[in-house]
Coordinates of all heavy atoms in Angstrom, one line a residue:
M1 N 79.6 -122.7 -89.0 CA 79.7 -123.2 -87.6 C 79.2 -122.0 -86.7 O 79.6 -120.9 -86.9 CB 81.1 -123.6 -87.3 CG 81.3 -124.0 -85.8 SD 82.9 -124.7 -85.5 CE 83.8 -123.3 -85.1
H2 N 78.4 -122.3 -85.7 CA 78.0 -121.3 -84.7 C 78.9 -121.3 -83.5 O 79.2 -122.4 -82.9 CB 76.6 -121.7 -84.2 CG 76.2 -120.9 -83.1 ND1 75.8 -119.5 -83.2 CD2 76.0 -121.2 -81.8 CE1 75.5 -119.1 -82.0 NE2 75.6 -120.0 -81.1
I3 N 79.5 -120.2 -83.2 CA 80.4 -120.0 -82.1 C 79.6 -119.1 -81.1 O 79.2 -118.0 -81.5 CB 81.7 -119.4 -82.4 CG1 82.5 -120.4 -83.4 CG2 82.6 -119.2 -81.2 CD1 83.8 -119.9 -83.9
P4 N 79.4 -119.6 -79.9 CA 78.7 -118.8 -78.9 C 79.3 -117.4 -78.7 O 80.6 -117.3 -78.8 CB 78.8 -119.6 -77.6 CG 79.0 -121.0 -78.1 CD 79.8 -120.9 -79.3
A5 N 78.5 -116.4 -78.5 CA 79.0 -115.0 -78.3 C 80.1 -114.9 -77.2 O 80.9 -114.0 -77.3 CB 77.8 -114.1 -78.1
N6 N 80.0 -115.7 -76.2 CA 80.9 -115.6 -75.1 C 82.2 -116.4 -75.3 O 83.0 -116.5 -74.4 CB 80.3 -116.0 -73.8 CG 79.9 -117.4 -73.8 OD1 79.9 -118.1 -74.8 ND2 79.5 -117.9 -72.6
F7 N 82.4 -116.9 -76.5 CA 83.6 -117.7 -76.8 C 84.8 -116.7 -77.0 O 84.7 -115.9 -77.9 CB 83.4 -118.5 -78.1 CG 84.5 -119.5 -78.4 CD1 84.5 -120.7 -77.7 CD2 85.4 -119.2 -79.3 CE1 85.5 -121.6 -78.0 CE2 86.5 -120.1 -79.6 CZ 86.5 -121.3 -78.9
D8 N 85.8 -116.8 -76.2 CA 86.9 -115.9 -76.3 C 88.0 -116.5 -77.2 O 88.3 -117.6 -77.1 CB 87.6 -115.7 -74.9 CG 86.7 -114.9 -74.0 OD1 86.0 -114.0 -74.5 OD2 86.7 -115.2 -72.8
V9 N 88.5 -115.7 -78.1 CA 89.6 -116.0 -79.0 C 90.8 -115.2 -78.7 O 90.6 -113.9 -78.6 CB 89.2 -115.9 -80.5 CG1 90.3 -116.2 -81.4 CG2 88.0 -116.7 -80.8
E10 N 91.9 -115.8 -78.5 CA 93.1 -115.0 -78.2 C 93.4 -114.0 -79.3 O 93.2 -114.3 -80.5 CB 94.3 -116.0 -78.2 CG 95.6 -115.4 -77.8 CD 96.7 -116.4 -77.9 OE1 96.5 -117.6 -77.8 OE2 97.9 -116.0 -77.9
D11 N 93.7 -112.8 -79.0 CA 94.0 -111.8 -79.9 C 95.4 -112.0 -80.5 O 96.4 -111.3 -80.0 CB 93.9 -110.4 -79.3 CG 94.0 -109.3 -80.3 OD1 93.9 -109.5 -81.5 OD2 94.3 -108.1 -79.9
D12 N 95.6 -112.8 -81.4 CA 96.9 -113.2 -82.0 C 96.7 -113.4 -83.5 O 95.8 -114.2 -83.9 CB 97.4 -114.5 -81.3 CG 98.7 -114.9 -81.8 OD1 99.2 -114.5 -82.9 OD2 99.4 -115.7 -81.1
E13 N 97.4 -112.7 -84.3 CA 97.2 -112.8 -85.7 C 97.5 -114.2 -86.3 O 97.0 -114.6 -87.3 CB 98.0 -111.8 -86.5 CG 99.5 -112.0 -86.3 CD 100.4 -110.9 -86.9 OE1 100.2 -109.8 -86.5 OE2 101.2 -111.2 -87.8
H14 N 98.2 -115.0 -85.5 CA 98.6 -116.3 -86.0 C 97.7 -117.4 -85.4 O 97.9 -118.6 -85.8 CB 100.0 -116.6 -85.7 CG 101.0 -115.6 -86.2 ND1 101.2 -115.5 -87.6 CD2 101.7 -114.7 -85.6 CE1 102.1 -114.5 -87.8 NE2 102.4 -114.0 -86.6
V15 N 96.8 -117.1 -84.5 CA 96.0 -118.1 -83.9 C 95.2 -119.0 -84.8 O 95.1 -120.2 -84.6 CB 95.1 -117.5 -82.8 CG1 93.9 -116.9 -83.3 CG2 94.8 -118.6 -81.7
G16 N 94.8 -118.4 -85.9 CA 94.0 -119.2 -86.9 C 94.8 -120.0 -87.8 O 94.3 -121.0 -88.4
T17 N 96.1 -119.8 -87.9 CA 96.9 -120.5 -88.8 C 98.0 -121.4 -88.2 O 98.6 -122.2 -88.8 CB 97.6 -119.6 -89.8 OG1 98.4 -118.6 -89.1 CG2 96.6 -118.8 -90.7
R18 N 98.3 -121.1 -86.9 CA 99.4 -121.8 -86.2 C 99.2 -123.3 -86.3 O 100.2 -124.0 -86.5 CB 99.4 -121.4 -84.7 CG 100.6 -122.0 -84.0 CD 100.7 -121.5 -82.6 NE 100.8 -120.0 -82.6 CZ 100.3 -119.3 -81.6 NH1 99.7 -119.8 -80.6 NH2 100.5 -118.0 -81.7
Y19 N 98.1 -123.9 -86.1 CA 97.9 -125.3 -86.1 C 96.9 -125.7 -87.2 O 96.3 -126.8 -87.1 CB 97.4 -125.8 -84.8 CG 98.4 -125.5 -83.7 CD1 98.1 -124.5 -82.7 CD2 99.5 -126.2 -83.6 CE1 99.0 -124.2 -81.7 CE2 100.5 -125.9 -82.6 CZ 100.2 -124.9 -81.6 OH 101.1 -124.7 -80.6
A20 N 96.7 -124.9 -88.2 CA 95.7 -125.2 -89.3 C 95.9 -126.6 -89.9 O 95.0 -127.3 -90.1 CB 95.7 -124.1 -90.3
E21 N 97.1 -126.9 -90.3 CA 97.4 -128.2 -90.9 C 97.1 -129.3 -90.0 O 96.5 -130.3 -90.4 CB 98.9 -128.2 -91.4 CG 99.2 -129.5 -92.2 CD 100.6 -129.4 -92.7 OE1 101.1 -128.4 -93.1 OE2 101.2 -130.5 -92.7
E22 N 97.5 -129.2 -88.8 CA 97.2 -130.3 -87.8 C 95.7 -130.5 -87.5 O 95.2 -131.6 -87.5 CB 98.0 -130.0 -86.5 CG 99.5 -130.1 -86.6 CD 100.2 -128.8 -87.0 OE1 99.5 -127.9 -87.5 OE2 101.4 -128.8 -86.9
V23 N 95.0 -129.3 -87.4 CA 93.6 -129.4 -87.2 C 92.9 -130.0 -88.4 O 92.0 -130.9 -88.2 CB 93.0 -128.0 -86.9 CG1 91.5 -128.0 -87.0 CG2 93.5 -127.5 -85.6
D24 N 93.3 -129.6 -89.6 CA 92.7 -130.2 -90.8 C 92.9 -131.7 -90.9 O 92.0 -132.5 -91.2 CB 93.2 -129.6 -92.1 CG 92.7 -128.1 -92.3 OD1 91.8 -127.7 -91.6 OD2 93.4 -127.4 -93.1
E25 N 94.1 -132.1 -90.6 CA 94.4 -133.6 -90.6 C 93.6 -134.3 -89.6 O 93.1 -135.4 -89.8 CB 95.9 -133.7 -90.3 CG 96.4 -135.2 -90.4 CD 97.9 -135.3 -90.1 OE1 98.7 -134.5 -90.6 OE2 98.3 -136.1 -89.3
F26 N 93.5 -133.8 -88.4 CA 92.8 -134.4 -87.3 C 91.3 -134.5 -87.6 O 90.7 -135.5 -87.4 CB 93.1 -133.7 -86.0 CG 92.7 -134.5 -84.7 CD1 93.4 -135.5 -84.3 CD2 91.6 -134.1 -84.0 CE1 93.1 -136.3 -83.2 CE2 91.2 -134.8 -82.9 CZ 92.0 -135.9 -82.5
C27 N 90.8 -133.4 -88.1 CA 89.3 -133.4 -88.5 C 89.0 -134.4 -89.6 O 88.0 -135.1 -89.5 CB 88.9 -132.0 -89.0 SG 88.7 -130.8 -87.7
A28 N 89.9 -134.6 -90.5 CA 89.8 -135.6 -91.5 C 89.7 -137.0 -90.9 O 88.9 -137.8 -91.3 CB 90.9 -135.5 -92.6
A29 N 90.6 -137.2 -89.9 CA 90.6 -138.5 -89.2 C 89.3 -138.7 -88.4 O 88.8 -139.8 -88.4 CB 91.8 -138.6 -88.3
M30 N 88.8 -137.7 -87.8 CA 87.6 -137.7 -87.1 C 86.4 -138.1 -88.0 O 85.6 -139.0 -87.7 CB 87.3 -136.4 -86.3 CG 88.2 -136.1 -85.2 SD 87.9 -134.5 -84.5 CE 86.2 -134.6 -83.9
K31 N 86.3 -137.4 -89.1 CA 85.3 -137.7 -90.1 C 85.4 -139.1 -90.6 O 84.3 -139.8 -90.7 CB 85.4 -136.7 -91.3 CG 84.9 -135.3 -90.9 CD 85.1 -134.4 -92.1 CE 84.8 -133.0 -91.8 NZ 85.0 -132.1 -93.0
N32 N 86.6 -139.6 -90.9 CA 86.8 -141.0 -91.4 C 86.3 -142.0 -90.4 O 85.6 -142.9 -90.7 CB 88.2 -141.2 -91.7 CG 88.5 -142.5 -92.3 OD1 88.5 -143.5 -91.6 ND2 88.7 -142.6 -93.6
K33 N 86.6 -141.7 -89.1 CA 86.2 -142.7 -88.1 C 84.7 -142.6 -87.9 O 84.0 -143.7 -87.7 CB 86.9 -142.3 -86.7 CG 86.7 -143.3 -85.6 CD 87.9 -144.0 -85.3 CE 87.7 -145.1 -84.3 NZ 88.8 -145.2 -83.4
L34 N 84.1 -141.5 -87.9 CA 82.6 -141.4 -87.8 C 81.9 -142.1 -89.0 O 80.9 -142.8 -88.8 CB 82.2 -139.9 -87.8 CG 82.5 -139.2 -86.5 CD1 82.2 -137.7 -86.7 CD2 81.7 -139.7 -85.3
M35 N 82.5 -142.0 -90.2 CA 81.9 -142.7 -91.3 C 82.0 -144.2 -91.1 O 81.0 -145.0 -91.4 CB 82.5 -142.3 -92.6 CG 82.1 -140.9 -93.0 SD 82.7 -140.3 -94.6 CE 84.2 -141.1 -94.9
R36 N 83.1 -144.7 -90.6 CA 83.3 -146.1 -90.4 C 82.4 -146.7 -89.3 O 82.1 -147.9 -89.2 CB 84.8 -146.4 -90.1 CG 85.7 -146.3 -91.3 CD 87.1 -146.8 -90.9 NE 87.8 -145.8 -90.1 CZ 88.5 -146.1 -89.0 NH1 88.6 -147.3 -88.6 NH2 89.1 -145.1 -88.3
R37 N 82.0 -145.8 -88.4 CA 81.2 -146.2 -87.2 C 79.7 -145.8 -87.4 O 78.9 -145.9 -86.4 CB 81.7 -145.6 -86.0 CG 83.2 -146.0 -85.7 CD 83.3 -146.8 -84.5 NE 84.6 -147.4 -84.4 CZ 85.3 -147.4 -83.3 NH1 84.8 -146.8 -82.2 NH2 86.5 -147.9 -83.3
A38 N 79.3 -145.4 -88.6 CA 77.9 -144.9 -88.8 C 76.9 -146.0 -88.5 O 75.8 -145.6 -88.0 CB 77.8 -144.4 -90.2
H39 N 77.2 -147.2 -88.6 CA 76.3 -148.3 -88.3 C 75.9 -148.4 -86.9 O 75.0 -149.1 -86.5 CB 76.9 -149.6 -88.8 CG 78.1 -150.1 -88.0 ND1 79.4 -149.5 -88.3 CD2 78.3 -150.9 -87.0 CE1 80.2 -150.1 -87.4 NE2 79.6 -150.9 -86.7
K40 N 76.7 -147.7 -86.0 CA 76.4 -147.8 -84.6 C 75.3 -146.9 -84.1 O 74.9 -146.9 -83.0 CB 77.7 -147.5 -83.8 CG 78.7 -148.6 -83.9 CD 79.8 -148.3 -82.9 CE 80.8 -149.5 -82.9 NZ 81.8 -149.4 -81.8
G41 N 74.8 -146.1 -85.1 CA 73.6 -145.2 -84.8 C 74.1 -143.8 -84.5 O 75.2 -143.4 -84.7
D42 N 73.1 -143.0 -84.2 CA 73.3 -141.5 -84.0 C 73.6 -141.2 -82.6 O 72.8 -141.3 -81.7 CB 72.0 -140.8 -84.5 CG 72.2 -139.3 -84.5 OD1 73.2 -138.8 -84.1 OD2 71.2 -138.6 -84.9
F43 N 74.9 -140.9 -82.4 CA 75.3 -140.6 -81.0 C 74.6 -139.3 -80.5 O 74.5 -139.2 -79.3 CB 76.9 -140.3 -81.0 CG 77.7 -141.6 -81.1 CD1 78.3 -141.9 -82.3 CD2 77.8 -142.4 -80.1 CE1 79.0 -143.1 -82.5 CE2 78.6 -143.6 -80.2 CZ 79.2 -143.9 -81.4
M44 N 74.2 -138.5 -81.3 CA 73.5 -137.3 -80.9 C 72.2 -137.5 -80.2 O 71.6 -136.7 -79.6 CB 73.3 -136.3 -82.0 CG 74.7 -135.7 -82.5 SD 75.6 -134.9 -81.2 CE 74.6 -133.5 -80.9
L45 N 71.7 -138.8 -80.3 CA 70.4 -139.1 -79.7 C 70.7 -139.6 -78.2 O 69.7 -139.7 -77.5 CB 69.7 -140.3 -80.5 CG 69.3 -139.9 -81.9 CD1 68.7 -141.1 -82.6 CD2 68.3 -138.7 -81.9
E46 N 71.9 -139.7 -77.9 CA 72.3 -140.1 -76.5 C 72.2 -138.9 -75.6 O 72.3 -137.8 -76.0 CB 73.7 -140.7 -76.4 CG 73.8 -142.0 -77.2 CD 75.2 -142.6 -77.0 OE1 75.8 -142.4 -76.0 OE2 75.6 -143.4 -77.9
S47 N 72.0 -139.2 -74.3 CA 71.9 -138.1 -73.3 C 73.3 -137.6 -73.1 O 74.3 -138.2 -73.3 CB 71.3 -138.6 -72.0 OG 72.2 -139.5 -71.4
L48 N 73.4 -136.4 -72.5 CA 74.7 -135.8 -72.1 C 75.4 -136.7 -71.1 O 76.6 -136.9 -71.2 CB 74.5 -134.4 -71.6 CG 74.4 -133.3 -72.6 CD1 74.0 -132.0 -71.9 CD2 75.7 -133.1 -73.4
F49 N 74.6 -137.3 -70.2 CA 75.2 -138.1 -69.2 C 75.9 -139.3 -69.9 O 77.0 -139.7 -69.6 CB 74.1 -138.6 -68.2 CG 74.6 -139.6 -67.2 CD1 75.3 -139.1 -66.0 CD2 74.5 -140.9 -67.3 CE1 75.8 -139.9 -65.1 CE2 75.0 -141.8 -66.4 CZ 75.6 -141.3 -65.2
D50 N 75.2 -140.0 -70.8 CA 75.7 -141.1 -71.5 C 76.9 -140.8 -72.4 O 77.9 -141.5 -72.4 CB 74.7 -141.8 -72.4 CG 73.6 -142.5 -71.6 OD1 73.9 -142.8 -70.4 OD2 72.5 -142.8 -72.1
L51 N 76.9 -139.6 -73.0 CA 78.0 -139.1 -73.8 C 79.2 -138.9 -72.9 O 80.3 -139.2 -73.2 CB 77.6 -137.9 -74.6 CG 76.7 -138.0 -75.7 CD1 76.2 -136.7 -76.3 CD2 77.3 -138.9 -76.8
A52 N 79.0 -138.3 -71.7 CA 80.1 -138.0 -70.8 C 80.7 -139.4 -70.3 O 81.9 -139.5 -70.2 CB 79.6 -137.2 -69.6
E53 N 79.8 -140.3 -70.0 CA 80.4 -141.7 -69.6 C 81.2 -142.3 -70.8 O 82.2 -142.9 -70.5 CB 79.2 -142.6 -69.3 CG 78.7 -142.4 -67.9 CD 77.7 -143.5 -67.5 OE1 77.1 -144.2 -68.4 OE2 77.6 -143.8 -66.3
G54 N 80.7 -142.1 -72.0 CA 81.5 -142.6 -73.2 C 82.8 -141.9 -73.3 O 83.8 -142.5 -73.6
L55 N 82.8 -140.6 -73.1 CA 84.1 -139.8 -73.1 C 85.0 -140.3 -72.1 O 86.2 -140.6 -72.4 CB 83.8 -138.3 -72.9 CG 85.0 -137.4 -72.8 CD1 85.8 -137.5 -74.1 CD2 84.6 -136.0 -72.5
C56 N 84.6 -140.5 -70.9 CA 85.5 -141.0 -69.8 C 86.0 -142.4 -70.2 O 87.2 -142.7 -69.9 CB 84.7 -141.1 -68.5 SG 84.3 -139.5 -67.8
A57 N 85.2 -143.3 -70.7 CA 85.7 -144.6 -71.1 C 86.7 -144.5 -72.2 O 87.7 -145.2 -72.2 CB 84.5 -145.5 -71.6
E58 N 86.5 -143.6 -73.2 CA 87.5 -143.4 -74.2 C 88.8 -142.8 -73.7 O 89.9 -143.2 -74.2 CB 86.9 -142.5 -75.3 CG 85.8 -143.2 -76.1 CD 86.2 -144.5 -76.8 OE1 87.4 -144.7 -77.1 OE2 85.2 -145.2 -77.1
V59 N 88.7 -141.9 -72.7 CA 89.9 -141.4 -72.1 C 90.7 -142.5 -71.4 O 91.9 -142.6 -71.5 CB 89.6 -140.2 -71.1 CG1 90.8 -139.8 -70.3 CG2 89.1 -139.0 -71.9
D60 N 90.0 -143.4 -70.7 CA 90.7 -144.5 -70.1 C 91.4 -145.4 -71.1 O 92.5 -145.9 -70.9 CB 89.7 -145.4 -69.3 CG 89.2 -144.7 -68.0 OD1 89.8 -143.7 -67.6 OD2 88.2 -145.1 -67.5
E61 N 90.7 -145.6 -72.3 CA 91.3 -146.5 -73.3 C 92.5 -145.8 -73.9 O 93.5 -146.4 -74.2 CB 90.3 -146.7 -74.4 CG 89.1 -147.7 -74.0 CD 88.1 -147.9 -75.0 OE1 88.3 -147.5 -76.2 OE2 87.0 -148.3 -74.6
L62 N 92.4 -144.4 -74.1 CA 93.6 -143.7 -74.6 C 94.7 -143.8 -73.6 O 95.9 -144.1 -74.0 CB 93.2 -142.2 -74.8 CG 94.3 -141.3 -75.1 CD1 95.1 -141.7 -76.4 CD2 93.8 -139.8 -75.2
Q63 N 94.5 -143.7 -72.3 CA 95.6 -143.8 -71.3 C 96.2 -145.2 -71.4 O 97.4 -145.3 -71.3 CB 95.0 -143.5 -69.9 CG 96.1 -143.4 -68.9 CD 97.1 -142.3 -69.2 OE1 96.7 -141.1 -69.3 NE2 98.4 -142.6 -69.3
T64 N 95.4 -146.2 -71.5 CA 96.0 -147.6 -71.6 C 96.9 -147.7 -72.8 O 98.0 -148.3 -72.7 CB 94.8 -148.6 -71.7 OG1 94.0 -148.5 -70.5 CG2 95.3 -150.0 -71.9
E65 N 96.4 -147.1 -74.0 CA 97.3 -147.2 -75.2 C 98.5 -146.4 -75.0 O 99.6 -146.8 -75.5 CB 96.5 -146.8 -76.4 CG 95.3 -147.7 -76.8 CD 95.8 -149.1 -77.0 OE1 96.9 -149.3 -77.5 OE2 95.0 -150.0 -76.8
L66 N 98.4 -145.2 -74.4 CA 99.7 -144.4 -74.1 C 100.6 -145.2 -73.2 O 101.8 -145.1 -73.4 CB 99.3 -143.1 -73.5 CG 98.6 -142.1 -74.4 CD1 98.0 -140.9 -73.6 CD2 99.5 -141.6 -75.6
D67 N 100.1 -145.9 -72.2 CA 100.9 -146.6 -71.3 C 101.5 -147.9 -71.9 O 102.7 -148.2 -71.6 CB 100.2 -147.0 -70.0 CG 99.8 -145.7 -69.2 OD1 100.5 -144.7 -69.4 OD2 98.9 -145.8 -68.3
F68 N 100.7 -148.7 -72.6 CA 101.1 -150.0 -73.0 C 101.0 -150.3 -74.5 O 101.4 -151.4 -74.9 CB 100.2 -151.0 -72.2 CG 100.2 -150.8 -70.8 CD1 99.1 -150.3 -70.1 CD2 101.4 -151.1 -70.0 CE1 99.1 -150.2 -68.7 CE2 101.4 -151.0 -68.6 CZ 100.3 -150.5 -68.0
G69 N 100.4 -149.4 -75.2 CA 100.0 -149.7 -76.6 C 101.0 -149.1 -77.6 O 102.2 -148.8 -77.3
T70 N 100.6 -149.0 -78.8 CA 101.4 -148.5 -79.9 C 101.0 -147.0 -80.2 O 99.8 -146.6 -79.8 CB 101.2 -149.3 -81.2 OG1 99.8 -149.1 -81.6 CG2 101.5 -150.8 -80.9
P71 N 101.8 -146.2 -80.8 CA 101.4 -144.9 -81.2 C 100.2 -144.9 -82.1 O 99.3 -144.0 -81.9 CB 102.7 -144.3 -81.9 CG 103.8 -145.1 -81.4 CD 103.3 -146.5 -81.1
E72 N 100.1 -145.8 -82.9 CA 98.9 -145.9 -83.8 C 97.6 -146.1 -83.1 O 96.6 -145.5 -83.4 CB 99.1 -147.0 -84.9 CG 100.2 -146.8 -85.9 CD 101.6 -147.2 -85.4 OE1 101.7 -147.7 -84.3 OE2 102.6 -146.8 -86.1
R73 N 97.6 -147.0 -82.1 CA 96.5 -147.2 -81.2 C 96.1 -146.0 -80.4 O 95.0 -145.6 -80.2 CB 96.6 -148.4 -80.3 CG 96.6 -149.8 -81.1 CD 95.3 -150.1 -81.6 NE 94.2 -150.0 -80.6 CZ 93.0 -149.6 -80.9 NH1 92.6 -149.2 -82.1 NH2 92.1 -149.5 -79.9
A74 N 97.1 -145.3 -79.9 CA 96.9 -144.1 -79.1 C 96.3 -143.0 -80.0 O 95.4 -142.3 -79.6 CB 98.2 -143.6 -78.5
M75 N 96.8 -142.9 -81.3 CA 96.2 -142.0 -82.2 C 94.7 -142.3 -82.4 O 93.9 -141.4 -82.5 CB 97.0 -142.0 -83.5 CG 98.4 -141.4 -83.4 SD 99.4 -141.8 -84.9 CE 98.5 -141.0 -86.2
D76 N 94.4 -143.6 -82.6 CA 93.1 -144.0 -82.9 C 92.2 -143.6 -81.7 O 91.0 -143.1 -81.9 CB 93.0 -145.5 -83.2 CG 91.7 -146.0 -83.7 OD1 91.3 -145.4 -84.7 OD2 91.1 -146.9 -83.1
E77 N 92.6 -143.9 -80.5 CA 91.8 -143.6 -79.3 C 91.7 -142.1 -79.1 O 90.6 -141.6 -78.6 CB 92.5 -144.2 -78.1 CG 92.4 -145.7 -78.0 CD 91.0 -146.3 -78.1 OE1 90.0 -145.6 -77.7 OE2 90.8 -147.4 -78.5
S78 N 92.7 -141.3 -79.5 CA 92.6 -139.9 -79.4 C 91.4 -139.3 -80.3 O 90.8 -138.4 -79.9 CB 93.9 -139.1 -79.6 OG 94.2 -139.2 -81.0
I79 N 91.2 -140.0 -81.4 CA 90.2 -139.6 -82.3 C 88.8 -139.9 -81.6 O 87.9 -139.1 -81.7 CB 90.3 -140.3 -83.7 CG1 91.5 -139.8 -84.4 CG2 89.1 -140.1 -84.5 CD1 92.0 -140.7 -85.5
D80 N 88.7 -141.1 -81.0 CA 87.5 -141.4 -80.2 C 87.2 -140.4 -79.2 O 86.0 -139.9 -79.0 CB 87.6 -142.8 -79.6 CG 87.6 -143.9 -80.6 OD1 87.1 -143.7 -81.8 OD2 88.0 -145.0 -80.3
V81 N 88.2 -140.0 -78.4 CA 88.0 -138.9 -77.4 C 87.5 -137.7 -78.0 O 86.5 -137.0 -77.5 CB 89.4 -138.7 -76.6 CG1 89.3 -137.5 -75.7 CG2 89.7 -139.9 -75.8
A82 N 88.1 -137.2 -79.1 CA 87.7 -136.0 -79.8 C 86.3 -136.1 -80.3 O 85.5 -135.1 -80.2 CB 88.7 -135.7 -80.9
N83 N 85.9 -137.2 -80.8 CA 84.5 -137.3 -81.4 C 83.5 -137.3 -80.2 O 82.5 -136.6 -80.4 CB 84.4 -138.6 -82.2 CG 85.0 -138.5 -83.6 OD1 85.1 -137.4 -84.1 ND2 85.3 -139.6 -84.2
Y84 N 83.8 -137.9 -79.1 CA 82.9 -137.8 -78.0 C 82.8 -136.3 -77.5 O 81.7 -135.8 -77.1 CB 83.3 -138.7 -76.8 CG 82.5 -140.0 -76.9 CD1 83.1 -141.1 -77.6 CD2 81.3 -140.2 -76.4 CE1 82.4 -142.3 -77.7 CE2 80.6 -141.4 -76.5 CZ 81.2 -142.5 -77.1 OH 80.5 -143.7 -77.3
A85 N 83.9 -135.7 -77.4 CA 83.9 -134.3 -77.0 C 83.1 -133.4 -78.0 O 82.4 -132.5 -77.6 CB 85.4 -133.7 -76.9
L86 N 83.2 -133.7 -79.3 CA 82.4 -133.0 -80.3 C 80.9 -133.2 -80.0 O 80.1 -132.3 -80.1 CB 82.8 -133.6 -81.7 CG 81.9 -133.1 -82.8 CD1 82.3 -131.7 -83.2 CD2 82.1 -134.0 -84.0
F87 N 80.5 -134.5 -79.8 CA 79.1 -134.8 -79.5 C 78.6 -134.0 -78.3 O 77.5 -133.4 -78.3 CB 78.9 -136.3 -79.3 CG 79.3 -137.2 -80.4 CD1 79.9 -138.4 -80.1 CD2 79.2 -136.8 -81.7 CE1 80.3 -139.3 -81.1 CE2 79.6 -137.6 -82.7 CZ 80.1 -138.9 -82.4
I88 N 79.4 -134.0 -77.2 CA 79.0 -133.3 -76.0 C 78.9 -131.8 -76.3 O 78.0 -131.1 -75.8 CB 80.0 -133.5 -74.9 CG1 79.9 -135.0 -74.4 CG2 79.8 -132.6 -73.7 CD1 81.0 -135.5 -73.5
Y89 N 79.8 -131.2 -77.0 CA 79.8 -129.8 -77.4 C 78.5 -129.5 -78.1 O 77.8 -128.5 -77.7 CB 81.0 -129.5 -78.2 CG 81.0 -128.0 -78.7 CD1 81.5 -127.0 -78.0 CD2 80.5 -127.7 -80.0 CE1 81.6 -125.7 -78.4 CE2 80.5 -126.4 -80.5 CZ 81.0 -125.4 -79.7 OH 81.1 -124.1 -80.1
H90 N 78.2 -130.2 -79.1 CA 77.0 -129.9 -79.9 C 75.7 -130.2 -79.2 O 74.7 -129.5 -79.3 CB 77.1 -130.7 -81.3 CG 77.9 -130.0 -82.3 ND1 77.5 -128.8 -82.9 CD2 79.2 -130.2 -82.6 CE1 78.5 -128.4 -83.7 NE2 79.6 -129.2 -83.5
K91 N 75.7 -131.3 -78.4 CA 74.5 -131.6 -77.6 C 74.3 -130.5 -76.6 O 73.1 -130.0 -76.3 CB 74.7 -132.9 -76.9 CG 73.5 -133.4 -76.2 CD 72.5 -134.1 -77.2 CE 71.4 -134.8 -76.5 NZ 70.6 -135.6 -77.4
S92 N 75.3 -129.9 -76.0 CA 75.2 -128.8 -75.0 C 74.7 -127.6 -75.7 O 73.9 -126.8 -75.1 CB 76.6 -128.6 -74.4 OG 77.0 -129.7 -73.6
M93 N 75.2 -127.3 -76.9 CA 74.7 -126.1 -77.7 C 73.2 -126.2 -77.9 O 72.5 -125.2 -77.9 CB 75.4 -126.0 -79.0 CG 76.8 -125.5 -78.8 SD 77.7 -125.2 -80.4 CE 76.6 -124.2 -81.3
Q94 N 72.7 -127.4 -78.1 CA 71.2 -127.6 -78.3 C 70.4 -127.2 -77.0 O 69.3 -126.9 -77.1 CB 70.9 -129.1 -78.6 CG 71.4 -129.5 -80.0 CD 71.1 -131.0 -80.2 OE1 70.7 -131.7 -79.3 NE2 71.4 -131.4 -81.4
N95 N 71.1 -127.3 -75.9 CA 70.4 -127.0 -74.6 C 70.6 -125.5 -74.2 O 70.2 -125.2 -73.1 CB 71.0 -127.9 -73.5 CG 70.6 -129.4 -73.8 OD1 69.6 -129.7 -74.4 ND2 71.5 -130.3 -73.3
L96 N 71.2 -124.7 -75.0 CA 71.4 -123.3 -74.6 C 70.1 -122.6 -74.6 O 69.2 -122.8 -75.3 CB 72.4 -122.6 -75.6 CG 73.8 -123.0 -75.5 CD1 74.6 -122.2 -76.5 CD2 74.4 -122.7 -74.1

């Protein structure tokens, strides 16, 4: 993974392990969702503007689930939010 040179990491010996289990679990859920949605095409071909709109829509869906839905649906929507954020991050790196 390429991390930009200006990316600041907190000087804390535990920063890499504090949430390692949670990050691994969440990444596995993100990958699973991406595999299930592969038929929708390559999101990386979308413009940053379209990806940002998709992220905003997913945040709205997450908020609805937090307000009125189930924890399971909120978890599912949080994965969608994270995947869109991932796409934006990587698409932005291409434009450096």
Side-chain angles (χ1 to χ4, degrees):
M1 175 171 93
H2 170 73
I3 298 177
N6 63 348
F7 188 82
D8 291 323
V9 177
E10 181 184 345
D11 186 18
D12 181 342
E13 65 186 57
H14 303 292
V15 79
T17 59
R18 184 177 300 149
Y19 300 107
E21 186 176 320
E22 291 86 349
V23 169
D24 290 345
E25 181 180 317
F26 195 73
C27 285
M30 289 173 66
K31 288 177 183 179
N32 182 286
K33 186 110 183 217
L34 288 172
M35 289 186 331
R36 288 186 286 134
R37 303 248 170 129
H39 67 279
K40 291 189 174 188
D42 187 354
F43 286 103
M44 292 304 292
L45 298 177
E46 294 186 26
S47 70
L48 277 171
F49 179 83
D50 289 339
L51 289 171
E53 280 191 333
L55 175 62
C56 291
E58 293 299 340
V59 169
D60 288 344
E61 291 175 17
L62 172 58
Q63 187 63 58
T64 298
E65 293 303 331
L66 289 170
D67 291 342
F68 307 108
T70 66
E72 292 82 7
R73 289 291 309 143
M75 290 167 60
D76 192 56
E77 291 301 334
S78 71
I79 294 165
D80 290 340
V81 169
N83 281 336
Y84 268 93
L86 172 77
F87 301 146
I88 291 168
Y89 176 85
H90 280 282
K91 187 81 168 190
S92 296
M93 284 182 54
Q94 292 174 352
N95 295 332
L96 290 179

